[in-house]
Amino acid sequence: MMNFEGLDPGMGDYSPTLHGTLDTGMEPSMDPRLNPSLLQGVELDPEGLTVTVPESVHLLEGMFSELHSVAAEVGIPVTATHFDLQEEMLWMGNHRGHASSFFGPTMGRYSSFQVHSTDDIRHIQSLETGVLFLSKSNLKCYTRGGLVMFDYPMDEGADMHSLIMTDNNTLLMGGLQNYVVEVDLNTVQETQKFTVEVPGVAIMRQSNRFFFCGHTSGKVTLRDLRTFKMEHEFDAFSGSLSDFDVHGNLLAACGFSSRGLNGLACDRFLMVYDLRMMRAVTPLQVHVDPLFLRFIPTYTSRLAIISQTGQCQFCEPTGLANVADIFHVNTVGQLLMSFDVSSSKQALAFGDSGGCVHLWSDAPEVSFNDYSRETEFALPCLVDSLPQLDWSHDLLPLSLIPMPLTSTEQLLSDWPTSLATPCPRRAPPVDPEILRTMKTVGFIGYAANPRTRPRNQVPYKIKEVEMDYDNYNQVPESPIGRDEEPHLYMVPKKYRKVTIKYSKLGLEDFDFKHYNRTLFAGLEPHIPNAYCNCMIQVLYFLEPIRCLVQNHLCQKEFCLACELGFLFHMLDLSRGDPCQASNFLRAFRTIPEASALGLILADSDEQTGKARLGRLIQSWNRFILTQLHQETQEQEGPQAYRGASSSALGSSGESVIGRLFGCEVENSSLCRCGKETVRSSLTLLFTMHYPEHNSHDKTIKEYDFAEILKKSICLEQSTQAWCENCEKYQPTVQTRNIRCLPDVLVINCEVNSAKEAEFWRVQAEYAFNKAMQKEAMEPPKPKEPQPLPTEWCLDGEECSAEGFTFDTRAEDLRHVWIPLTLKMSISKSQGLEISNWPEGEELSSAEEAEGASLYDLVVTVPHVLDARTGGNLVAHIKVGETYHQRKEGVTHQQWYLFNDFLIEPIDKTEAAQFDVNWKMPAIMYYAKRNYHSKYDLRIKNPIEASVLLTEASLARKQRKSHATFIPLMVSEMPQAGDLVGLDAEFVTLNQEEAELRSDGTKSTIKPSQMSVARITCVRGQGPNEGVPFIDDYISTQEQVVDYLTQYSGIKPGDLDAKISSKHLTTLKSTYLKLRFLIDTGVRFVGHGLQKDFRVINLLVLKDQVIDTVYLFHMPRKRMISLRFLAWYFLDLNIQGETHDSIEDARTALQLYRKYLELSRGGGTDEVRKVLKGLYEKGRKLDWKVPDADTGDGQGTAVFPSVMGL
C-alpha cells in the first residue's frame, strides 16, 4: 500500500535475521531481540475457543496505551493490518502471503490461512460475507474461516497497491500502472478502467465530494466520484508521498522531500490543505519522522502520526505539536510496516517487521466497532471422551455403550430363524429424469447421468412419509410432536412460488436451467395476471388445441385464439428457455367478459395474495374454453388474414373446441303441477357437487370418486323456477342428462371451503386404508426371478406409452382419491355409467361394441396454499409422445410439474395426490384413449406474404407525403438468409418496483413493464439497401406512464389515432409482418436485439440474429453503445438529441458490413486487435462521443437511394 522508497535501505531486501530460517524440525528461529513474552501459550477453553492467555493490563481512560501484543509468524514482516468492520476481529497479512485473524481485545487466534504462495499482502478489506486480500497481481476473497470465495487475476504487468470500496458491491483498485480498475463484486468482473494522468496510485481515500489518490510522485489528486476525472491536484512533496488522510474539510499528508544528490529524506512538516478553498494552510511541524498518519476524530480532529521506529504523536492539524504527546510502540528494535485504526476510533493496530501485531487502546473495555455482529466459532474437538448418557431420554441409542461380546451367551437381539422372516429392502424407483431421456438398444437402456445425487449413494425411504422439504430450524428433528403443530406443515420446494431475482444485467445472468432441465418451455410470472400460466401450459399440451390455434388467424385486433397461436409457436421453438405470455395477457385484459367475471386482477391483489386463486382459475378455465369456442367457430370473415381462402375449421357450424370438450346436455325441469320443460344445450365442462353432510352425524360416509362424478354430471337438484303453466315461481326438480361423451372431460373441482376440503381428506383416507388392507390380504409372491417389466422396449416392439414404470405400492397412495383411469359408457336407457378401471388394462371388444370408453387422467391443477407467499397455482400434465418426439426424439409419455418457469418430471401418483393441508384440487382433465386419431393435427402456417404489402394507417391525419418508408414490392419479397436491419422503440406502461435495502443497495422486485411503440425494418441488400420497408407506430389502448422521448423519439400523441401524423397500426398487424420474416428465414441485424424481441414477444432462433452489441464486445468487458460504435468505426454522429429507429437500424447494418470487412481483412486476430483499440479509446473518452461535427453526410453517402424518400 505504501511507497517505501527512501526508508531504511535495509528494508529493500529483508535480511535472514529478520525473516528467520526454518530448520529441519520446522521450528522458527528466534530473533535475539524478540521479547519472549510475545510468544504466549495456547490452551483449550471450556467453550471450545482457542484464546491466548492475557496478562493483566492497566489503562488510563482517554490515553492510548498498549493493550496486547502477539507474534503472528516470527521474523516475517506484517505488511497489512485491518480492523474487521463487521465483527470484533483484527486481520493481518504478511510478506509471504499468509493471513491471520485475532478475536477481540485478548487477540485470541481465530483463523490462519495462506492467501498467496509468493506475493506479499498489500491491502485487506472486510465485507459482509468475507474478506478481500490484495496482492501485487491478484484480488482474492475468503470467508472469515479461510474458504476461497473468488480469485480475480489482474491484467499482465499490473502492480496493485491499494483498493477502496465505493459502495457495498463495487471497488476501485490502483497501483504503479497508469490506470485504476473498477470491479463489480456481484459478478466479479471489471466494469470500467479509468486512465490516470500521473501513474503510481499508492493510496486511495474517499469523501462525500471526491476520490483522493496519493501518487508515488508526491502528488495528491482529487477526482470526480462519478467519472473519476481529475478536478484538483496538490503537489504535496518533492520526493514521494508516504501517507495522507481526509477528515471534514481538511487533508493532511506526510512524505519525503528530495535532497539533491543525497536522495530522499523524511519531511517533518505535514502538509495540510483546506478543501473548501482548495489551497494549503500552514504546514504542521511534528517531532517524529512521519511514515503513517490518520485522523482519529473523537472529541476533536486529532491526528495520529506514526514513525518507522515506533514513535507515535497526537496533535491537532491546526495547532502546534506538543512533545508531551509522544508515545512509543515497543517493537523490540523492529520497524513498523503497517498501521490501522478501528471504526470506533478506540483501538490502533501496528504491524512490525518482526512478525508481531501490537494492539493499543484508550479504554480497558475496548470494542473495535460501534455495532458488531456475533462471531461464529468452530466447534471444540472432542478427543477420547464419552458423552454423558441421559437414561430418561426416549430416543437415546443404547449402542453408545461399548459392550464385550461373549461366545457362550446368546444376545437377546439374535432371533431364531423360526421367528424371523428376511425382508429385503425394495429397490428404489429409478430417477424419472433418467427414464425420460433413456434410449434403448436391445433390452438395455442408456441415459446421461443427471447427477442429482453423489456417486454410489442410493436413498431409501426410512420414514413412513418421505419429506421432500427444506430443513427449517423450527421443525423438530424427532417425529414426536410434529402432528401436534399443524402450522409447521411445509410446502415442498418445487411447489412454492418461484420468483426471478433481477440483477444489474436484468435477466441475462439469471439461471433458468437450474429450475428446468427439460427442453420444454416455462412461462415467466412477473407479468400482470400471469396466474393463468399453468392453464396456458395445459392447453398447449392438448395436441388438437395446439394445432387449432396455430392454424387460426382472423382480423380481430384482440383475439385470444390468435394470441395463443403466436404463443404456442414460441413454445414449439424454445429449447428449454422460458417464454412470456405478455401479448396474450394484453389481449386478455381488453376483453370485457373477462373483466365482468372478475378475472383481471389488480397488481396489489396479485402481490399480496388476496386473490382466491383456486376459485379464480376455475372461472378462467370456463371463460377460456367458451371464448375459444366462440372465436374459432365464427364463420363471418375468412379464417386467414387479408382475405385468403377460408379454412376448413371455420366452414362448419361447430368448432374443434366443441368437438373436443363439448357434450350435449338435456336439462329437464319438472314442476309440482306436472308440467315438464326440456331444453338441450352444449356444455364444455362439469362442476363437482358434493353430498350434503348431516351436521348431527360427525362421520363422513365413504364415497367412490366415480360415484360423485356421475352425480355431478347427471345432476338432480330442487330449486325455485318460473312455471308458465302455474304462472308463478314454483319449487321444481331440475335434472341433467348427457346424450354423448366428450373426447376430453373437463372437471372444475369446486373445493372452495373447509367443508369440501375435509370431504376430500376423509375420502383419501378411506381409499388409502382400503389399499393397505388389499395389499396385506394379497398372498406373498413366490421368490423367483422377476420377469422384465412389460413397459421396457425390446427390439421390434413398440415402446409403452408410460415409459418405464414399476408397481405402485399402497403406501405411495396416501392422499390419493381420484383414479388414474375411468371407464365411462352411456347405456341404451340413456343412463351414464362411470367406474374405476385398472390403469394398464384395455377394454374387451364386447365392451367397446357397447360404446364404453376409457378415460385417462392427463391434467390436474392444484392450488398450493402457502401463507408466506400468498399461494400459487401449478399444473401436473401428462405430456404425450408427439411432444417428446419433437423436442427430444424420444417416444414416451411422462408426467411433469409445471410451476411457471420450473418444470420437473414427477411420478404419476404425485399428480393424483392432494394433501389438502397445502395442496387443494382445482381442475382435472380426463382424456379418452387415442382420441387424437379423429383430428387433423397438421399445422399450415396461415401467415402469408400479403401481410407485408401496403396497408392503411389508423391515424386520421397521416398523409402519403409524410411516409417514412417504401413497402416491399412483390419482386422484393425476402428469401431465407436475406439481411434485414431492425430497430424498435418502447414506452413504459408500469414503472419499475424496487426496494432499498438497509445496506443502501437497490433490489428490483418487479421490472418496469414496457410496450413496443415503433418498429422499423430496413432492406439489407439490393439496389434499395438501407431503405425502410416497415416503419410502424403501434397504437396502444393502455395508459402510458413514460414515453421515454429522449431515448425513443416517441412523443405524446404519436400513438393516438385521433391526432397522430405517423403511420399507425395495431400490434397484431406489425407482429404478423415480423412473424412472416422470421418464418421465411431472414437474418435480423440490429443493436441489442435480445431486449427488442423480448418486449415484442417474439422468439427468434440464434442463427437468425446478428447483434452488433456482441460483434464488438470483448469477454468480461462492458457492452458498447451504438452511438460510440458509429462514431468510432463509421465516423457518424447519431442519436444527438433523440433516438430514431430508422437511423439506428441503418447504422447497425453498416457496422455489420464493417465487421465483415475486418474479418475478411485479417481474421480473428485483426478483429481482436481492433477491439482492443476500441476499448482503449473508449476508456480515454469515458465512452462519450466528442462534441464535433463528424459530417453526417458520410452516413447518407452509404445509402444514396435513401435520399429519394
Side-chain angles (χ1 to χ4, degrees):
M1 290 198 314
M2 300 299 160
N3 179 20
F4 295 115
E5 293 177 15
L7 297 186
D8 189 327
M11 290 300 293
D13 293 304
Y14 301 107
S15 63
T17 57
L18 282 179
H19 284 224
T21 56
L22 296 180
D23 58 16
T24 52
M26 299 302 286
E27 292 292 329
S29 63
M30 285 286 292
D31 190 295
R33 294 174 291 179
L34 190 68
N35 185 353
S37 67
L38 294 175
L39 301 176
Q40 299 156 356
V42 176
E43 63 181 23
L44 194 67
D45 189 76
E47 296 180 1
L49 172 65
T50 305
V51 295
T52 52
V53 182
E55 299 171 1
S56 59
V57 178
H58 301 286
L59 294 181
L60 289 173
E61 190 75 36
M63 299 285 286
F64 277 98
S65 308
E66 185 165 321
L67 184 65
H68 214 81
S69 294
V70 65
E73 207 166 340
V74 178
I76 301 174
V78 177
T79 54
T81 52
H82 174 69
F83 284 101
D84 200 306
L85 300 176
Q86 275 75 31
E87 302 184 10
E88 291 291 306
M89 287 164 63
L90 172 61
W91 288 90
M92 59 75 61
N94 68 18
H95 185 66
R96 291 189 183 170
H98 196 87
S100 301
S101 60
F102 306 95
F103 177 72
T106 58
M107 304 235 351
R109 190 178 286 260
Y110 180 79
S111 61
S112 180
F113 46 88
Q114 192 71 25
V115 173
H116 200 283
S117 56
T118 55
D119 291 347
D120 57 323
I121 297 173
R122 297 183 171 180
H123 199 119
I124 304 174
Q125 178 68 45
S126 59
L127 306 172
E128 190 76 25
T129 54
V131 183
L132 295 170
F133 297 93
L134 181 70
S135 61
K136 176 180 177 180
S137 58
N138 278 80
L139 175 69
K140 292 190 178 183
C141 185
Y142 285 78
T143 63
R144 287 173 171 79
L147 298 177
V148 180
M149 294 173 70
F150 67 76
D151 180 357
Y152 180 81
M154 306 297 171
D155 291 345
E156 192 175 344
D159 188 356
M160 290 297 176
H161 275 262
S162 60
L163 68 81
I164 186 169
M165 300 293 298
T166 57
D167 60 37
N168 287 338
N169 299 310
T170 314
L171 61 84
L172 292 172
M173 291 185 291
L176 300 186
Q177 60 284 340
N178 65 343
Y179 58 83
V180 172
V181 178
E182 183 183 69
V183 175
D184 187 337
L185 293 179
N186 284 331
T187 58
V188 196
Q189 289 187 356
E190 174 190 316
T191 51
Q192 291 189 80
K193 190 178 278 186
F194 303 108
T195 304
V196 291
E197 301 78 6
V198 185
V201 178
I203 313 163
M204 288 195 285
R205 303 275 187 258
Q206 182 181 2
S207 73
N208 58 357
R209 291 175 60 200
F210 299 107
F211 284 128
F212 300 86
C213 295
H215 299 266
T216 52
S217 61
K219 295 183 177 182
V220 179
T221 55
L222 283 63
R223 298 180 175 274
D224 186 87
L225 289 173
R226 188 174 60 84
T227 63
F228 211 72
K229 282 186 178 177
M230 188 170 75
E231 302 285 336
H232 300 279
E233 182 180 72
F234 298 140
D235 200 347
F237 295 96
S238 58
S240 179
L241 188 71
S242 174
D243 198 2
F244 77 91
D245 199 12
V246 179
H247 174 67
N249 295 313
L250 292 176
L251 182 150
C254 62
F256 302 92
S257 296
S258 179
R259 293 288 186 264
L261 298 175
N262 296 328
L264 300 178
C266 192
D267 197 327
R268 286 204 175 187
F269 281 93
L270 302 185
M271 297 303 294
V272 183
Y273 295 90
D274 189 326
L275 299 177
R276 291 169 294 189
M277 296 177 284
M278 291 297 168
R279 64 179 178 84
V281 294
T282 307
L284 180 66
Q285 185 177 11
V286 293
H287 301 91
V288 300
D289 291 336
L291 177 68
F292 303 103
L293 66 80
R294 208 64 56 88
F295 280 102
I296 306 180
T298 47
Y299 305 110
T300 58
S301 303
R302 281 193 303 173
L303 261 176
I305 301 105
I306 319 295
S307 77
Q308 187 179 0
T309 54
Q311 293 170 308
C312 176
Q313 180 173 5
F314 292 95
C315 64
E316 290 291 332
T318 54
L320 295 174
N322 188 353
V323 184
D325 289 337
I326 298 180
F327 307 93
H328 194 80
V329 181
N330 184 18
T331 60
V332 200
Q334 306 291 340
L335 302 176
L336 289 188
M337 302 284 292
S338 58
F339 168 62
D340 195 30
V341 182
S342 70
S343 65
S344 65
K345 312 302 179 188
Q346 295 180 16
L348 313 177
F350 306 91
D352 66 26
S353 59
C356 295
V357 180
H358 308 268
L359 178 66
W360 279 46
S361 174
D362 65 349
E365 300 296 325
V366 63
S367 60
F368 299 159
N369 301 305
D370 293 333
Y371 302 100
S372 293
R373 68 182 181 205
E374 198 171 337
T375 302
E376 291 184 17
F377 295 104
L379 294 173
C381 179
L382 299 174
V383 182
D384 295 334
S385 61
L386 289 172
Q388 192 72 25
L389 297 182
D390 181 9
W391 290 100
S392 62
H393 202 291
D394 294 336
L395 299 177
L396 182 77
L398 300 180
S399 57
L400 289 174
I401 307 167
M403 155 181 178
L405 288 173
T406 57
S407 56
T408 55
E409 200 175 340
Q410 192 176 19
L411 294 173
L412 183 63
S413 59
D414 191 5
W415 286 71
T417 53
S418 58
L419 297 175
T421 305
C423 184
R425 279 182 173 158
R426 188 189 291 263
V430 181
D431 190 332
E433 181 69 14
I434 294 176
L435 300 181
R436 188 180 66 78
T437 58
M438 187 163 63
K439 297 182 181 178
T440 55
V441 177
F443 58 89
I444 300 174
Y446 295 90
N449 184 357
R451 307 204 179 278
T452 52
R453 57 178 62 93
R455 185 178 174 82
N456 297 333
Q457 290 192 14
V458 178
Y460 283 95
K461 289 189 180 181
I462 308 295
K463 300 171 186 172
E464 189 177 352
V465 181
E466 186 177 14
M467 302 294 280
D468 183 21
Y469 308 134
D470 287 350
N471 295 321
Y472 284 93
N473 293 332
Q474 69 264 35
V475 180
E477 284 295 320
S478 161
I480 296 172
R482 191 172 286 158
D483 292 336
E484 297 155 16
E485 299 177 338
H487 63 280
L488 293 182
Y489 210 99
M490 289 170 300
V491 180
K493 193 170 184 179
K494 62 186 175 184
Y495 283 93
R496 294 186 203 146
K497 193 173 191 174
V498 288
T499 53
I500 301 175
K501 292 179 175 58
Y502 299 90
S503 69
K504 287 182 181 176
L505 301 174
L507 286 175
E508 285 180 30
D509 58 348
F510 187 78
D511 184 14
F512 286 107
K513 296 290 182 193
H514 174 73
Y515 296 89
N516 175 19
R517 299 188 184 277
T518 72
L519 293 177
F520 300 114
L523 291 169
E524 291 178 19
H526 66 271
I527 311 160
N529 298 292
Y531 67 87
C532 60
N533 278 350
C534 59
M535 278 305 300
I536 293 174
Q537 294 280 19
V538 167
L539 296 173
Y540 172 69
F541 285 104
L542 290 170
E543 191 79 65
I545 294 187
R546 174 186 155 272
C547 298
L548 164 71
V549 295
Q550 289 196 63
N551 281 319
H552 171 84
L553 191 60
C554 66
Q555 294 189 13
K556 283 170 61 180
E557 181 181 356
F558 298 112
C559 169
L560 293 190
C562 291
E563 294 297 346
L564 267 188
F566 302 150
L567 178 57
F568 288 177
H569 178 75
M570 290 199 292
L571 295 177
D572 276 348
L573 287 179
S574 173
R575 304 289 291 173
D577 294 319
C579 300
Q580 48 177 1
S582 52
N583 285 0
F584 170 78
L585 291 172
R586 176 183 178 171
F588 170 67
R589 290 194 296 271
T590 64
I591 296 186
E593 291 86 349
S595 182
L597 291 168
L599 301 179
I600 298 169
L601 292 182
D603 279 358
S604 56
D605 290 346
E606 211 165 351
Q607 288 166 10
T608 55
K610 289 181 183 175
R612 302 184 64 180
L613 293 177
R615 182 169 287 179
L616 193 68
I617 199 64
Q618 292 175 77
S619 301
W620 196 93
N621 185 32
R622 185 186 301 275
F623 162 78
I624 197 69
L625 294 182
T626 309
Q627 188 74 16
L628 291 178
H629 176 58
Q630 290 171 358
E631 289 178 351
T632 55
Q633 77 171 354
E634 290 170 355
Q635 296 176 71
E636 258 88 52
Q639 286 287 317
Y641 203 74
R642 282 190 194 278
S645 60
S646 173
S647 164
L649 295 171
S651 57
S652 62
E654 64 173 9
S655 72
V656 172
I657 300 291
R659 286 166 53 201
L660 193 64
F661 303 106
C663 185
E664 201 173 334
V665 171
E666 198 176 75
N667 296 297
S668 70
S669 298
L670 180 64
C671 177
R672 59 165 59 169
C673 68
K675 178 170 178 61
E676 184 175 12
T677 308
V678 179
R679 293 186 183 88
S680 292
S681 62
L682 184 78
T683 186
L684 299 173
L685 56 80
F686 294 97
T687 302
M688 293 286 280
H689 289 264
Y690 303 102
E692 289 291 329
H693 177 51
N694 190 348
S695 57
H696 302 295
D697 187 8
K698 290 187 178 179
T699 59
I700 299 175
K701 294 179 186 175
E702 181 179 355
Y703 291 95
D704 197 45
F705 176 80
E707 182 185 351
I708 299 293
L709 180 60
K710 180 184 173 182
K711 288 182 178 176
S712 301
I713 294 174
C714 301
L715 190 63
E716 184 174 317
Q717 55 187 7
S718 297
T719 183
Q720 288 282 112
W722 178 262
C723 175
E724 292 181 355
N725 191 33
C726 305
E727 294 187 342
K728 62 179 178 179
Y729 283 98
Q730 291 279 46
T732 57
V733 177
Q734 296 188 339
T735 312
R736 181 171 69 189
N737 287 302
I738 61 171
R739 293 181 181 171
C740 62
L741 294 173
D743 288 341
V744 178
L745 177 66
V746 183
I747 303 166
N748 276 356
C749 296
E750 285 294 326
V751 183
N752 296 325
S753 67
K755 187 170 74 172
E756 285 122 10
E758 178 66 13
F759 180 83
W760 269 76
R761 189 188 63 77
V762 171
Q763 299 307 323
E765 274 184 24
Y766 282 136
F768 175 67
N769 293 335
K770 195 185 288 183
M772 291 294 284
Q773 290 168 12
K774 183 180 177 184
E775 188 176 67
M777 290 172 64
E778 284 181 359
K781 296 179 182 177
K783 294 181 180 178
E784 36 179 66
Q786 289 280 338
L788 284 174
T790 55
E791 285 82 3
W792 286 24
C793 304
L794 301 178
D795 270 348
E797 293 186 11
E798 197 176 305
C799 195
S800 161
E802 276 301 318
F804 286 67
T805 54
F806 294 89
D807 291 337
T808 304
R809 291 175 290 169
E811 67 179 66
D812 292 331
L813 298 176
R814 189 182 294 274
H815 306 304
V816 175
W817 179 41
I818 60 173
L820 292 173
T821 309
L822 289 169
K823 175 191 167 190
M824 296 178 66
S825 62
I826 299 179
S827 63
K828 292 177 182 176
S829 59
Q830 295 294 307
L832 175 65
E833 293 178 6
I834 307 178
S835 60
N836 293 357
W837 189 262
E839 188 189 4
E841 296 183 17
E842 295 288 341
L843 290 172
S844 65
S845 52
E847 288 172 315
E848 285 183 2
E850 291 175 6
S853 300
L854 292 183
Y855 283 78
D856 293 315
L857 183 68
V858 291
V859 169
T860 57
V861 176
H863 174 206
V864 177
L865 307 175
D866 189 349
R868 292 171 301 176
T869 61
N872 57 297
L873 294 160
V874 300
H876 303 124
I877 304 174
K878 186 178 182 181
V879 177
E881 298 173 5
T882 53
Y883 291 90
H884 284 104
Q885 185 67 42
R886 276 193 299 272
K887 293 280 186 185
E888 298 168 351
V890 180
T891 307
H892 76 112
Q893 295 188 351
Q894 172 67 47
W895 279 95
Y896 290 90
L897 167 70
F898 288 84
N899 181 7
D900 289 330
F901 54 82
L902 183 150
I903 304 175
E904 196 171 301
I906 56 170
D907 187 63
K908 59 186 177 185
T909 52
E910 191 175 337
Q913 280 178 326
F914 291 99
D915 182 352
V916 293
N917 289 297
W918 61 270
K919 186 180 178 187
M920 302 285 271
I923 297 167
M924 293 182 291
Y925 280 41
Y926 279 92
K928 191 184 286 188
R929 255 188 216 171
N930 304 320
Y931 73 99
H932 293 110
S933 55
K934 295 184 189 177
Y935 299 92
D936 181 5
L937 301 180
R938 293 169 300 176
I939 296 177
K940 179 185 177 299
N941 190 347
I943 305 173
E944 297 180 353
S946 55
V947 296
L948 289 176
L949 301 179
T950 311
E951 66 172 351
S953 169
L954 299 177
R956 297 174 187 172
K957 294 187 177 181
Q958 204 234 350
R959 299 174 191 154
K960 288 196 176 179
S961 58
H962 293 165
T964 54
F965 67 100
I966 301 174
L968 289 175
M969 310 297 290
V970 176
S971 58
E972 290 183 295
M973 280 300 158
Q975 306 298 319
D978 284 357
L979 295 181
V980 170
L982 175 73
D983 191 57
E985 307 294 354
F986 308 102
V987 293
T988 304
L989 299 182
N990 283 326
Q991 293 288 14
E992 173 184 273
E993 291 179 25
E995 63 181 3
L996 202 62
R997 295 200 188 102
S998 57
D999 60 1
T1001 58
K1002 189 176 85 166
S1003 168
T1004 303
I1005 302 169
K1006 197 173 180 182
S1008 59
Q1009 191 190 346
M1010 312 288 282
S1011 176
V1012 64
R1014 182 184 182 188
I1015 295 175
T1016 301
C1017 291
V1018 303
R1019 295 164 173 87
Q1021 57 275 304
N1024 289 330
E1025 181 178 344
V1027 179
F1029 63 91
I1030 296 174
D1031 186 26
D1032 290 351
Y1033 285 74
I1034 311 300
S1035 169
T1036 179
Q1037 294 185 359
E1038 297 185 284
Q1039 186 176 0
V1040 176
V1041 298
D1042 190 351
Y1043 283 91
L1044 305 172
T1045 306
Q1046 182 185 350
Y1047 307 104
S1048 67
I1050 308 293
K1051 297 174 184 174
D1054 283 355
L1055 308 182
D1056 189 340
K1058 295 175 184 174
I1059 59 175
S1060 176
S1061 61
K1062 311 295 183 184
H1063 184 265
L1064 207 61
T1065 66
T1066 63
L1067 175 62
K1068 183 175 177 180
S1069 167
T1070 308
Y1071 189 95
L1072 288 170
K1073 297 174 190 176
L1074 294 177
R1075 256 294 301 276
F1076 178 78
L1077 293 173
I1078 294 168
D1079 296 344
T1080 303
V1082 305
R1083 292 188 300 154
F1084 292 98
V1085 182
H1087 193 81
L1089 288 180
Q1090 187 176 0
K1091 182 188 176 186
D1092 291 2
F1093 286 135
R1094 179 179 167 77
V1095 179
I1096 299 168
N1097 205 202
L1098 275 169
L1099 194 147
V1100 188
L1101 298 176
K1102 287 184 179 176
D1103 57 1
Q1104 285 184 252
V1105 178
I1106 300 166
D1107 200 333
T1108 52
V1109 84
Y1110 295 111
L1111 291 183
F1112 298 96
H1113 175 247
M1114 290 180 75
R1116 294 178 63 178
K1117 304 284 186 185
R1118 62 170 284 163
M1119 303 292 187
I1120 303 175
S1121 70
L1122 183 66
R1123 184 169 189 229
F1124 193 87
L1125 290 173
W1127 172 80
Y1128 186 82
F1129 285 110
L1130 308 174
D1131 201 21
L1132 289 175
N1133 200 348
I1134 64 168
Q1135 299 175 352
E1137 294 180 5
T1138 182
H1139 288 223
D1140 178 29
S1141 56
I1142 296 177
E1143 182 182 54
D1144 292 355
R1146 284 180 192 148
T1147 306
L1149 267 174
Q1150 289 176 264
L1151 282 171
Y1152 178 55
R1153 300 285 186 207
K1154 183 71 176 177
Y1155 178 81
L1156 293 179
E1157 181 187 316
L1158 292 172
S1159 302
R1160 283 194 292 265
T1164 53
D1165 290 339
E1166 176 67 20
V1167 172
R1168 196 177 293 116
K1169 184 178 174 184
V1170 170
L1171 289 182
K1172 208 169 181 183
L1174 166 69
Y1175 276 90
E1176 287 293 328
K1177 189 72 172 174
R1179 277 195 292 271
K1180 284 180 184 174
L1181 297 174
D1182 196 21
W1183 302 103
K1184 290 189 174 68
V1185 173
D1187 295 330
D1189 284 339
T1190 52
D1192 291 351
Q1194 287 195 27
T1196 54
V1198 177
F1199 301 120
S1201 56
V1202 175
M1203 303 301 291
L1205 267 182

